[in-house]
C-alpha cells in the first residue's frame, strides 16, 4: 500500500485558531431538526456501496440522524484527513489504521470513547488495540491476519503438494515455488511477494524480535538484512519474479498475481481473500506463513483491519457514538458489511451473520480460530508509524534494485525510522 505521510502533513499544516466543530452547528441544529454526522472512510467502489447500505439501515433506525459519507480512495485519504484535522474541521467519525492511532490520539484529534460505545460483547484483547495510555480512542472494525494464500490447484498442477503449514520453512517455500515456476513455462510464478511491514513483523517475531519496542524500532540490523536476503533468494532462484516485474503488478488486490492466476502463493491480508478468489475464479486457501528453522511458531498475529474513531472537537458526540455502536454491535450492520472491514470482533454478530459469509470468509473465520493459540500480542505502533511503510519500501527497493548494500541500507533504514518515530 502507498502511505500518504499524514503525520508530516499534520505537523506542517497551520492549525486554525477558530475551531469549526466538524463544520456543523449543533447536536440537533440541522435543517429539519436532524443531526448531521460526517463519516470519513476510504476504499473501493464495492466498499462504498456496502457502507452506503449500512448508513441507510442506521438512518432508518435513527430517523433524527443523517450520516454524510465522506469517501476517498486510499491514495488521497490521509492527506485529505490530515488537512481537515489541522484546520480543526475533522469529520465527526473517522476511519483510521493502527499505524495512525498514536499519532492522531497524541495530537488531541480523537475523543476518548470509554463508556460511550458498548464494548461488552467485543473481543477484549482486540479492543485493547484501540487504547493509548489507558484511554479507548478507537473501536476496531474487525480483525485481519496476514497469512500465506495459496492456489492449491496451481500447486498440484505443477506436481507439488501443498505443505503442512505448521512445519514448513522458508527454504521449503522457496523450493516449492521454484518448482512451480519451472512448470509454469513463463505463465505462472511460484510466488508473488511484497514489502509490507507486516511481512517483516512476522519474520522478526519468529526470531523473538518486535518491530517496535519502547517507542523505537525493535528490529536488529541482522534480521532486516536476513529478510532482504529472503526476498533476494526468491528472485535469484526464480521462485518469484524480479523486483522490476513485481513493481509492474502494482499494490491493488485486483492486480495481484494470485488474482490474475499468474502465481500460486502470495501474502495478503485475510479480508482480501474474497476479492482475490473472485478475481482468480478459483478456490484459494490460507496457510500460516513459513518460518525460520527452529522457530517455535510462525509469528502470526491479529490486527484491527481499521478503527472507527470520533473527533474530539465534534459537537455531535452522542449521535457519532450511536453510529459507531451500530456499526460494531448491530447484526444488521454486520450482515451488510460482513468481512469488508475485517471479521467482526463481536461474537454475537459473527454468530448472526455466519451463514451470510462467503465461502472465502468462512475460510478466514476458521483460519483465525485455528491460529488463536499461537498469536503474538497486538501492539499499537508509536507516533510516526504512518511513514514506516514508505521508509521500509525505499530501503528495500534500494537493496532489491542493487542501489545499496544490505549493510548500508539496514543502517539507513533503522536510523531514518527512529528519527521519524522520535519527532
Amino acid at each position: 500500500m502507498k502511505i500518504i505521510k499524514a503525520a508530516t502533513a499534520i505537523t506542517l499544516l497551520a492549525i486554525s485558531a477558530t475551531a469549526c466543530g466538524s463544520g456543523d452547528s449543533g447536536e440537533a441544529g440541522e435543517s429539519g431538526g436532524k443531526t448531521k454526522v460526517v463519516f470519513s472512510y476510504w476504499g473501493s467502489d464495492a466498499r462504498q456501496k456496502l457502507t452506503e447500505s449500512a448508513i441507510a439501515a442506521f438512518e432508518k433506525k435513527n430517523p433524527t440522524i443523517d450520516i454524510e459519507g465522506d469517501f476517498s480512495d486510499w491514495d488521497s485519504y490521509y492527506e485529505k484527513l490530515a488537512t481537515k484535522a489541522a484546520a480543526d474541521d475533522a469529520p465527526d467519525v473517522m476511519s483510521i489504521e493502527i499505524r495512525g492511532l498514536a499519532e492522531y490520539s497524541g495530537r488531541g484529534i480523537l475523543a476518548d470513547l470509554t463508556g460511550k460505545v458498548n464494548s461488552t460483547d467485543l473481543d477484549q484483547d482486540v479492543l485493547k488495540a484501540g487504547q493509548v495510555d489507558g484511554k479507548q480512542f478507537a473501536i476496531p472494525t474487525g480483525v485481519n491476519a496476514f497469512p500465506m494464500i495459496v492456489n492449491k490447484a496451481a500447486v498440484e498442477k505443477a506436481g507439488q503438494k501443498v505443505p503442512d503449514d505448521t512445519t514448513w520453512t522458508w527454504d521449503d517455500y522457496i523450493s516449492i515455488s521454484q518448482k512451480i515456476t519451472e512448470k509454469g513455462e513463463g505463465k505462472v510464478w511460484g510466488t508473488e511477494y511484497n514489502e509490507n511491514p507486516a511481512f517483516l513483523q512476522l519474520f522478526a517475531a519468529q526470531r523473538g524480535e518486535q518491530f517496535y519496542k519502547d517507542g523505537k524500532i525493535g528490529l536488529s540490523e541482522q534480521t532486516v538484512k536476513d529478510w532482504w536476503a529472503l526476498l533476494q533468494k526468491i528472485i535469484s532462484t526464480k521462485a518469484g519474479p524480479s523486483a522490476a516485474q513485481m513493481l509492474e503488478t502494482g499494490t491493488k488486490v485486483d492486480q495481484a498475481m494470485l488474482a490474475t492466476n499468474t502465481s500460486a502463493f502470495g501474502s495478503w491480508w485475510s479480508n482480501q481473500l474474497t476479492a482475490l478468489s473472485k478475481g482468480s475464479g478459483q478456490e484459494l486457501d490460507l496457510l500460516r506463513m513459513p518460518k525460520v528453522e527452529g522457530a517455535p511458531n510462525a509469528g502470526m498475529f491479529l490486527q484491527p483491519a481499521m478503527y472507527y474513531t470520533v473527533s474530539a472537537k465534534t459537537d455531535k458526540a452522542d449521535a457519532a457514538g450511536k453510529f459507531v455502536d451500530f456499526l460494531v454491535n448491530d447484526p444488521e450492520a454486520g450482515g451488510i458489511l460482513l468481512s469488508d472491514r475485517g471479521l467482526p470482533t463481536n461474537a454475537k454478530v459473527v454468530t448472526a451473520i455466519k451463514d451470510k459469509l462467503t465461502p472465502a470468509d468462512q475460510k478466514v473465520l476458521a483460519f483465525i480460530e485455528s491460529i488463536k493459540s499461537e498469536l503474538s500480542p497486538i501492539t499499537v505502533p508509536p507516533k510516526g508509524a504512518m511513514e514506516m511503510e514508505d521508509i521500509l519500501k525505499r530501503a528495500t527497493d534500494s537493496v532489491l534494485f542493487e542501489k545499496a548494500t544490505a549493510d548500508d541500507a539496514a543502517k539507513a533504514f533503522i536510523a531514518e525510522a527512529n528519527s521519524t518515530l522520535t519527532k
Side-chain angles (χ1 to χ4, degrees):
M1 288 184 179
K2 179 181 177 183
I3 296 296
I4 302 298
K5 296 187 178 179
T8 302
I10 293 174
T11 303
L12 297 179
L13 286 166
I15 304 296
S16 171
T18 304
C20 298
S22 296
D24 296 315
S25 59
E27 190 76 40
E30 300 301 326
S31 61
K34 291 188 176 184
T35 300
K36 184 175 77 174
V37 172
V38 178
F39 170 46
S40 66
Y41 65 101
W42 72 84
S44 62
D45 291 342
R47 174 173 293 165
Q48 185 178 21
K49 290 178 182 177
L50 291 175
T51 304
E52 288 174 349
S53 294
I55 288 173
F58 173 80
E59 290 176 338
K60 186 175 181 179
K61 290 186 174 182
N62 298 272
T64 62
I65 303 174
D66 276 339
I67 304 297
E68 179 183 303
D70 184 6
F71 173 75
S72 303
D73 64 16
W74 168 252
D75 288 346
S76 64
Y77 181 76
Y78 278 112
E79 185 174 33
K80 179 179 176 181
L81 184 61
T83 300
K84 289 189 173 185
D88 278 346
D89 192 26
D92 303 293
V93 178
M94 296 167 279
S95 302
I96 65 170
E97 294 177 285
I98 195 170
R99 289 172 290 183
L101 179 54
E103 184 73 42
Y104 277 74
S105 63
R107 295 185 182 278
I109 295 169
L110 307 181
D112 181 3
L113 297 178
T114 304
K116 296 178 181 178
V117 174
N118 182 7
S119 59
T120 304
D121 295 323
L122 304 182
D123 185 309
Q124 297 302 299
D125 288 334
V126 177
L127 189 65
K128 289 176 184 176
Q131 298 175 1
V132 177
D133 297 331
K135 294 183 178 181
Q136 193 74 48
F137 287 108
I139 305 297
T141 63
V143 289
N144 275 341
F146 194 75
M148 183 68 71
I149 297 176
V150 59
N151 183 329
K152 288 185 176 181
V155 174
E156 292 167 356
K157 185 177 180 180
Q160 302 300 307
K161 292 183 178 180
V162 175
D164 178 351
D165 68 342
T166 63
T167 60
W168 72 326
T169 65
W170 293 109
D171 285 342
D172 294 332
Y173 161 65
I174 290 175
S175 176
I176 294 169
S177 297
Q178 184 180 19
K179 291 170 183 174
I180 293 170
T181 299
E182 290 173 355
K183 292 286 188 177
E185 299 178 343
K187 296 180 181 179
V188 178
W189 291 91
T191 188
E192 61 180 329
Y193 53 91
N194 61 56
E195 302 169 14
N196 194 307
F199 188 174
L200 177 54
Q201 181 178 335
L202 283 160
F203 186 81
Q206 296 175 10
R207 295 163 167 257
E209 295 181 8
Q210 301 174 39
F211 199 105
Y212 300 105
K213 186 176 182 181
D214 300 326
K216 295 184 178 181
I217 292 295
L219 306 167
S220 65
E221 288 182 19
Q222 189 59 53
T223 289
V224 177
K225 290 190 292 184
D226 287 346
W227 182 62
W228 287 333
L230 172 66
L231 297 180
Q232 289 173 313
K233 189 173 182 180
I234 291 172
I235 294 169
S236 66
T237 61
K238 299 191 184 303
S242 69
Q245 289 170 308
M246 277 304 306
L247 193 62
E248 291 176 1
T249 68
T251 58
K252 295 183 178 179
V253 180
D254 60 359
Q255 298 172 342
M257 295 173 67
L258 275 169
T260 57
N261 293 314
T262 52
S263 174
F265 290 105
S267 295
W268 292 84
W269 289 106
S270 56
N271 71 319
Q272 295 169 320
L273 182 65
T274 293
L276 290 167
S277 300
K278 183 177 180 180
S280 71
Q282 299 194 51
E283 186 173 349
L284 305 180
D285 291 282
L286 304 96
L287 304 174
R288 293 168 177 80
M289 291 288 267
K291 59 187 178 182
V292 173
E293 190 78 45
N297 58 58
M300 302 296 293
F301 62 93
L302 294 184
Q303 181 168 293
M306 60 186 81
Y307 297 108
Y308 298 123
T309 66
V310 173
S311 169
K313 301 290 179 68
T314 183
D315 50 10
K316 319 291 176 49
D318 289 347
K322 187 175 288 189
F323 180 55
V324 172
D325 188 278
F326 170 78
L327 292 174
V328 298
N329 289 317
D330 195 305
E332 185 176 4
I336 294 169
L337 299 174
L338 298 175
S339 69
D340 179 68
R341 289 169 166 88
L343 284 171
T345 66
N346 185 318
K348 292 181 179 178
V349 171
V350 171
T351 299
I353 70 171
K354 193 170 182 180
D355 291 343
K356 294 182 179 180
L357 293 174
T358 66
D361 287 336
Q362 296 277 5
K363 288 183 179 182
V364 173
L365 183 61
F367 178 77
I368 287 177
E369 286 296 322
S370 74
I371 64 173
K372 276 194 171 179
S373 64
E374 311 164 22
L375 297 172
S376 300
I378 305 171
T379 56
V380 177
K383 290 181 182 179
M386 289 294 297
E387 299 186 53
M388 205 51 54
E389 188 164 333
D390 275 352
I391 295 171
L392 180 60
K393 179 170 176 54
R394 286 197 302 273
T396 302
D397 284 347
S398 73
V399 174
L400 298 186
F401 285 95
E402 300 180 350
K403 295 180 179 179
T405 66
D407 286 341
D408 290 344
K411 288 181 173 63
F413 163 67
I414 292 175
E416 183 181 358
N418 282 331
S419 175
T420 300
L421 295 173
T422 55
K423 285 181 181 178

